[in-house]
Amino acid sequence: MTKRPLDILDQVLNRQPVIVSLKGGRELRGILQGYDVHMNLVLDKAEEVEAGQPRSLGTLIVRGDNVIYISPSMD
C-alpha cells in the first residue's frame, strides 16, 4: 500500500532528524516534535546549515508557508 506524505511524517515524529528546506534558500535540521495541516512545524534541537557549518538554534516554530519540503534525514 502506498504511504501518504503525512504517514511518513508520523513515522519520524519525535524519533529521527528531518531536513526542512525553506524559501530563501535556508535549510534546517532537527527533531520534528509536531506539525499541523498548514505545515507549521515544531523542531527541537534545530540547527541551520550554512556554508557547510551547522549553527545551533534550539527549539523553533517554523511557519508552514515558508516550507518548501521536509525530508527524513539520513544521519
Side-chain angles (χ1 to χ4, degrees):
M1 184 164 122
T2 304
K3 292 186 179 187
R4 298 175 306 153
L6 295 180
D7 292 338
I8 294 170
L9 290 181
D10 284 338
Q11 284 181 341
V12 298
L13 195 64
N14 298 312
R15 290 194 181 108
Q16 72 184 71
V18 294
I19 297 170
V20 181
S21 179
L22 302 176
K23 291 179 182 177
R26 295 178 71 183
E27 186 174 279
L28 302 173
R29 185 176 307 152
I31 306 293
L32 183 64
Q33 297 293 305
Y35 63 91
D36 65 12
V37 296
H38 304 289
M39 278 301 111
N40 296 315
L41 310 173
V42 178
L43 293 177
D44 192 29
K45 299 179 184 171
E47 58 186 23
E48 181 177 13
V49 180
E50 199 172 358
Q53 298 294 327
R55 181 172 59 115
S56 180
L57 301 172
T59 302
L60 291 179
I61 297 173
V62 180
R63 188 175 163 112
D65 63 353
N66 290 311
V67 175
I68 296 173
Y69 71 81
I70 306 167
S71 174
S73 180
M74 297 301 157
D75 293 345

